[in-house]
Structures are given as structure tokens and as C-alpha cells.
Amino acid sequence: MTGSRLSLLCRDLWALWLLLKAGADEIMHQDIVPLCAADIQDQLKKRFAYLSGGRGQDGSPVITFPDYPAFSEIPDKEFQNVMTYLTSIPSLQDAGIGFILVIDRRRDKWTSVKASVLRIAASFPANLQLVLVLRPTGFFQRTLSDIAFKFNRDDFKMKVPVIMLSSVPDLHGYIDKSQLTEDLGGTLDYCHSRWLCQRTAIESFALMVKQTAQMLQSFGTELAETELPNDVQSTSSVLCAHTEKKDKAKEDLRLALKEGHSVLENLGELQAEGSEPGVNQDQLDNQATVQRLLAQLNETEAAFDEFWAKHQQKLEQCLQLRHFEQGFREVKAILDTVCQKIATFTDIGNSLAHVEHLLRDLASFEEKSSVSVERARALSLDGEQLIENKHYAVDSIRPKCQELRHLCDQFSADIVRRRGLLSKSLELHRRLETSLKWCDEGIYLLASQPVDKCQSQDGAEAALQEIEKFLETSAENKIQELNTIYKEYESILNQDLMEHVRKVFQKQASMEEVFHRRQASLKKLAARQTRPVQPVAPRPEALAKSPCPSPGIRRGSENSSSEGGALRRGPYRRAKSEMSESRQGRGSAGEEEESLAILRRHVMSELLDTERAYVEELLCVLEGYAAEMDNPLMAHLLSTGLHSKKDVLFGNMEEIYHFHNRIFLRELENYTDCPELVGRCFLERMEDFQIYEKYCQNKPRSESLWRQCSDCPFFQECQRKLDHKLSLDSYLLKPVQRITKYQLLLKEMLKYSKNCEGAEDLQEALSSILGILKAVNDSMHLIAITGYDGNLGDLGKLLMQGSFSVWTDHKRGHTKVKELARFKPMQRHLFLHEKAVLFCKKREENGEGYEKAPSYSYKQSLNMAAVGITENVKGDAKKFEIWYNAREEVYIVQAPTPEIKAAWVNEIRKVLTSQLQACREASQHRALEQSQSLPLPAPTSTSPSRGNSRNLKKLEERKTDPLSLEGYVSSAPLPKPPEKGKEP
């Protein structure tokens, strides 16, 4: 067996496989033996012929046929198998010289010798060089053999000489004694059973080597023909499966090598020259054969390891590539969405508050998107690392890295550009706000100068100084040149903003004109005169006809607060001088009233304008979003979570729209000419405003649904059709903003109508609106109560709610419990109803919006029929006591401020007082019924009227206690709250 060495430096995977396959083929195609010793083991054990390992003088192998009496009885098949096997063992070189046969027939007869020689000659499968026959040793048989051999030489039909030897020493003349076994007078060490075991082991190892080569060839073919998968999961599976098979192949190789070394050890550590005595050539050949097989296995293993390393590297690079490609697809989809979304940010704001809101939204959007951008940059760095590591798919990775960097740079550039536009808009709106504020201050300055005091020279000079000092501030507050503004802010100016700039410019021009007129009049009054001169005040019509918007009007969406605009104008400074009966006095009062009338009209104009805009926005949402949810053509855009959820998302917005469109807006328009009376309109429709409570209670559910489905294509398509710059959630906030806006407008109107006919109605309307806002706020807390088993509606109207520190002191409680309770307060949120007070534990939730809203775990409740209070607790002005069932249970409550404590004490006193009054009326009513029906006398102890009278008297006595009001048990049963006693 001759093997070729496999190249260990080959770098190409396919070339490695070809080399590995060639080595395996060489092992498999080597015919070690035609037969295996294990197959004919029983035939070899008969030892009618054996290969001792001896060699002739020219190196020809010696096959010995020992004395075997039953030689003629051996079947031809067995004889042929043994001959074939023995002649296949020596190397091809030795077998080519020819075999020497030694036939030992010293104890046999000539007839048997003749038969043996003829049989061997007829079936010997290899080349023969010489046949040596030890003839029979008996005198008669030896003589007979000499004669018979001479006459029957041609009968042997052999092409090689057959030499008859008379004795063993004659044999030594042809074959050296060292190459003969002991039974032939030689010194060659030979054991047939040992030889048979060695041959079996060698051939078993050779078969194992062949099977291992077949396995490696099959596995190598599978690896070489494997196509690289296109996804992460498949690539991981292939890599895992191939690694497992590789480990199995390596284990088989290890076992084969172990077996080979074991065979080699059994053969013994012999020198290659074979010069040691007792060592035959066959043993040396066996050792060389095993060593060659081991060397081939080692070379095959090394080639396979290199082939596997290349294959594993390619699979791992493929897995890295699939991870990179998957990450690229995910990140690119997100960045595309982000870039598309930022492209829709075209609104530059219509007020200062709106621009600030847009900047906050932009910062929030940038912060949320930064995670995706950072992920994209990290993925790009990973791709660059793969390129540096000489990945095989460099041409695919490099364009993706470049695209990721381009998208990140584009996002950053869009953010910078967008922030620059908004900063420019913010700067412009600040200048406009500054100009408006300056105009408003000027208007109030004019309105606050009493005309009667300006009739004197000193008064006129003082007023003139005020005006001149105010005009000195114009350079830093007003807009100087309209064209300059247009040019400077050209990048952000749209039609609406240009109109706003023009109106502000007109307003400041009109205001300056009024100032210059007043300045001219005051200069005349300030001049020294020899006689009194009747001063003429500036005509209020100049201010009334001014085209500028009123100080009360603020542009922009409902997102901007009007309260800030109202506060910035400063308090209106009324004239403190008494009204004079003179003409000058009448002129001053008329001018002041005219100024206030202008301001009222401005507030009324803002109320009507914003009301109309509000109605239009509601209609736009209902038609552009709500109605489209029922449109079959849009059904494919709706996500599963939105099906049958229109009422959750929009609440009762349609009911709110119909109220404002059909009723409230039309009634407001009736007060255009008498804005000071608009409070009556609010009072007449105050009950209708209760619909906002339902909307606000549904708002958390609406916000939660919006967060889950805001990315739905349906909303994006509706927004595109409506050409809205803001998403739906901004419009869903409009009703909440609107109900809050009314109280600001009413405050503004009341401010300018204190001496008017409708002032009381305005004050009452303002109080009612604030009450509605409080009720809405309270109801939002009320729906967050959890764990209450009863119906909260049975407890009557919610009057107050708030958080307090609470200590408990129960007469029936354990002493240690009372002591602990006395020093360690509990944080409780109290809900005061008409019929009970609830104690709850506030629990803050994580998340945003609705999920972040607190919830209140119900702990216990007290029936107001059995409640009393102690208004003042010694040592702390913020504490009061609520006690229950004649002070069996006492709750010391500490409010955040003394004002909150006073409000709660007053409200509880009202509840207890109303219960006492109801008890009195019920007692009087029953007494009247008894007197009219003339009932039969009843025992004193069972008389309901007398019992009730005693109860009433007792309650009246407790009510007179200046420090406390105790509850009482009403004759009419109240709904009973769930039992107390829940653990805090």
C-alpha cells in the first residue's frame, strides 16, 4: 500500500476537498488482501500450509507444507483459499521474485508425496521459484521415491525445478537455517496461533481505515455540496448540524488511530532493518503496513481539519452576514419610517406656545428615534468590522453600510433643518408677542390715565411724561420694518403667518397713532395758559376703529393657553378719583367706559372665533376619522384592535358637537352686541356642560387605544386626506382644552365688566364652570378606585377628594396597635360623599398616559350618619378629627395646608347640618301625620315620635358643641357601604 501525502497548506475549500477525497479514494481502492483471515480462520488453523516469514537467498518468500497426514482429504476450496491468502501476504516486490515451497514428507509414503506435489502444482496461484521436497526417511520409501521420481518427472508438469532432499541438512544448503522454523532445523521464531491473531488484528484495522475513509468522503461530499442558507435560523441549524457530524467523524478517526496504535504495540517496536535475531520479514512488513495506515490516517485527519476549518469559517461568516442582513432590513424599515415621518413635520407654529410645543415634540421625537439611529450606526460599524476581517461577501456588505450611514446623516440633517426652522419661528413669534405685549401695555396706559387729573398743568405734564417714557421703549419692543421682517423670515413665512405679522404691525401702528394724538393733546394742556382751557380728551373712536386685534385675542390652536395672554397685560388700573359732576369728570368716565367696552368686545370676538373654530374642528374629526371607520373602502386599513372601538376612541364627541353647533354657538351669537351679559348664556346651558364629564372619564381609555394603534395606516391615510399637520390625538384633546378655556374667557370678561349689569351672572357662570371642572377632575379620581364591592353611585354626590396623613385610635384595639397608630401615619386618599367618606390607598402606576395615572385601593368607609368631627387638634393647625360611633374609632387627619383643612371641615359640617335638618323635617312630618290620624295611645318606650324627639334633642345638643359636630342615625336608612376592616 503506497499513499500520497495531502497538502496541508491548500487554502481553497474545494481544492482541500478534492485532496481529501483523493486520499480517501486511495485508501479505499487499496486491496490489502483478497481474503481476510477472519473469513478463513478455521481453514488456517489446520496448518497444512503456513507462511513463516522466512526468505530465500534472493528474498523469495518461503511457504512450508508441514507433515499433515490428512492433506489429501482437504477440500479443494479450502486448499485454494489458503493458497490464495498466503500468497497475497508478502509485498508485491517479494511475491514477484517467486515463492519457494518446502514440502515436508519425511514420514509419508511416496504415493502421498506424489499426490501432494501434483495437487500443489495444479492449484498454486502465484509464481514458483523452487520446490524442495523432504522425501520419506524409510529405506524402502526413499529408494522407491528416487526411482519413481526419475521415471515420473514429467508427471509433475512444473515449470520450476523440484528437488528431492533426503535430509534436513540438505535443505540448509538451499535455505539458511535462520529462515527456517525449528521443525526444519532452523532458528526462526514462529507461532502459528500468534501469527493468526496478528493477521486478524491487522486486517481488522485496515478495514476500519477503509470505513473511516468512506465516512470522511461521504461527509466531505455533503459539506462541499451544501448551499448557504438565506436566513439566520437555517444558517444556525446547518452550522449546528455540521458541527455535530464533524465531532462524530473526529471521534471515529480517534477510535481508528487508537486501534492502529494498539496493533502496532502488539507487533512490537522493531527496527526497520530487521536485523534482530528471531524477527522475520513478514513481521517487519506487518509493522510497516500498520505504520503506513496510521500515517495516512494522520494525514487525512490533518487535511480534514483544515477543510473543516475553512468550511466552518464560511458558515460562520454566512451566519454573520445573515445577522447583518436581518438587522439591516429591520433598521432600514425603521429609519425609512422615521424619515417619512419627519418629512411630514412642516408646521412652523401659529403662536409662541404652539412653536414651543412643536419644539418639545421634535425633541421627544429625536430622543425616541435616537435608539434606532444608534442601532443603525452600530450595525454599520459591525459591517465595517466584517469587511476588515475579509468577509467573503464584502461586495454585499459595503453598500448596506454606506446606505445606513446615509440614512443616519439624512436624519440628523433633517432634525437640524427642522430645529432651525422652528427656532426661527420661535424667534419671530417672540418678537410678535413682545410687540403685542407692548401694544397692550400702551392701551392700558391710555385707559389708566384719568382725564380729570389731566386738566391741570401738573397732571398733564405727568401724563405726558408717562407717554414719552413709554414711547422710548418702542425701539426694543415693536416691529420696525415690515419688509425687513418678510425678508429675514422668508424661509418660514406662510400665508397665515404673514397675515398675523401684518395685523401685529397694523396694531402697533394704530396704537402709536393714538399715542401721538394723546401726546399732542397733553402738550397743549401742559402749556402755561392765562385762563382755564377746557381740555378735549382723545376720541375713543380712534381706538375702536383700529384694525389691530384686541388684546384678548390670541392666535393659534387650542394648545396655547389664553391665561398667559391674560396675565401678561397686567391688572387694569382704575381711576381712583371720585366722579366729578363737571364736564371734565363726565368725559373721563366716558372714556374709561369706552375703553372697557372695547376690551369686552375683543373678549367676545375671541370667544366667538374660537367657538366657531372649535365646532369646525369637531366636525372635521367626526367626518374625517369617525365616519371613515365605517367606510367599507377603508376597512382594509383598519387594524384588528380598532374593530368596534369607535366609541372608545371618540367617546361622546358627537354629542358634544351637536350641543355646540346647534345650541350653544347660536346662543352665543345673540350676545355679540352685549358681551357683558354673556354669563346668562352659560348659566342657561350649565347642565348641558355635564356631557364633558363623560368625555373626560373616557379619555384614559381613548389614550390607551390610541397608543396601541397610532401607527395604523388608517390614521395616516385620514390625516393625509384632511391635510392635517397634527395627528388625531391632538384633536381628541380639543374638548378637554375647550372646557378649560371657558373659565379663562369668563375671567377676562368679568375683569372688564365689574360695574356692568351682567357682572353677577358672569361671576356665577365662572363659579359654575369651575365647579364643572372640579367635578370632572373628581370623577377622574373616582373611576380609579379599585376593590370597592358596592355601587359608588349609592353614596351620593362626590363632594371632596384629596390626600392626607391619617392616624387611627380605636377604643377596642390592642394597646400596642394604638400606640403604633398614634405615631406612624398612614397615607390615605379620602373621598367625601354625601352619605359616606371612603379611605383609599393611592398607588402610582408605571407607564405613560392612562397607565401612569394613579389608582386607589379601597380600604374602609364610614357612614356619614354615624360620623362626627373635631375641628381643631391641639398642636397642629392642619389636623382635625373624624370620629365614628361615639368615638369608638377616631381618625386624626392632617391636611397638606390649613386652607385645605378648613375647606374639608366646612364641607363635612354642611353634610352633618343637612342631615340634622332632614331629621328635623322628618320628625315634624311624622308628628303631623300622627296628630291628624289620631292614633291610639302607645307605650312611651315604643313611640316613634317621642324616640325620634329624644334623638333629635341629643343631636341638637351635640351640634352646639363648638369643637365638634357629631353624626346621627337617620330615621331613613342610608345605603350601607362595605364593611370596614381591610388591612392598610
Side-chain angles (χ1 to χ4, degrees), residues 68-114:
Y68 191 81
F71 185 79
S72 59
E73 298 176 0
I74 297 174
D76 291 339
K77 182 63 176 176
E78 291 185 8
F79 182 80
Q80 185 65 38
N81 288 341
V82 171
M83 290 297 101
T84 302
Y85 178 73
L86 292 178
T87 55
S88 66
I89 292 175
S91 65
L92 295 176
Q93 181 180 357
D94 292 346
I97 299 173
F99 286 86
I100 297 177
L101 304 183
V102 178
I103 304 173
D104 185 6
R105 290 296 180 264
R106 288 176 292 177
R107 299 178 185 177
D108 211 344
K109 299 178 180 180
W110 165 248
T111 55
S112 177
V113 172
K114 179 181 178 181

Side-chain angles (χ1 to χ4, degrees), residues 568-627:
R568 73 181 183 183
R569 300 181 187 123
Y572 179 75
R573 294 173 291 177
R574 291 180 174 275
K576 297 182 179 179
S577 61
E578 297 181 357
M579 299 296 294
S580 172
E581 294 181 0
S582 64
R583 182 177 177 182
Q584 293 86 349
R586 290 194 301 272
S588 174
E591 182 176 335
E592 180 180 2
E593 178 57 35
E594 182 63 25
S595 298
L596 293 175
I598 292 173
L599 295 175
R600 288 195 295 271
R601 286 196 295 271
H602 286 329
V603 176
M604 190 66 195
S605 176
E606 181 178 2
L607 174 60
L608 287 172
D609 290 344
T610 55
E611 184 72 14
R612 294 187 186 101
Y614 175 55
V615 170
E616 290 176 1
E617 288 171 341
L618 291 182
L619 178 62
C620 186
V621 172
L622 292 173
E623 290 182 345
Y625 286 97

Side-chain angles (χ1 to χ4, degrees), residues 156-280:
F156 292 112
K157 298 180 181 179
M158 291 185 178
K159 296 179 180 180
V160 295
V162 177
I163 301 175
M164 289 290 180
L165 301 176
S166 300
S167 64
V168 172
D170 295 340
L171 178 63
H172 295 166
Y174 294 93
I175 302 174
D176 190 83
K177 294 171 60 175
S178 63
Q179 302 300 316
L180 295 172
T181 58
E182 292 181 358
D183 56 349
L184 294 177
T187 61
L188 183 65
D189 182 25
Y190 175 76
C191 177
H192 190 68
S193 60
R194 183 181 62 189
W195 175 87
L196 187 58
C197 290
Q198 289 178 350
R199 291 305 307 173
T200 303
I202 293 171
E203 292 167 3
S204 175
F205 174 59
L207 180 62
M208 181 180 290
V209 171
K210 185 174 183 178
Q211 291 173 345
T212 303
Q214 290 175 338
M215 177 270 298
L216 288 178
Q217 181 179 0
S218 176
F219 181 44
T221 302
E222 179 184 352
L223 296 185
E225 294 178 353
T226 299
E227 294 185 2
L228 297 179
N230 294 322
D231 60 278
V232 173
Q233 183 63 37
S234 299
T235 307
S236 299
S237 300
V238 169
L239 181 59
C240 183
H242 285 188
T243 302
E244 290 179 358
K245 291 183 178 180
K246 183 269 297 183
D247 294 339
K248 178 64 170 58
K250 290 286 289 183
E251 179 64 20
D252 292 343
L253 271 170
R254 187 188 66 80
L255 292 176
L257 288 170
K258 182 179 180 181
E259 179 68 17
H261 287 294
S262 176
V263 173
L264 193 60
E265 289 177 3
N266 292 333
L267 291 175
E269 298 293 337
L270 302 177
Q271 296 182 1
E273 293 80 3
S275 59
E276 295 183 2
V279 178
N280 60 59

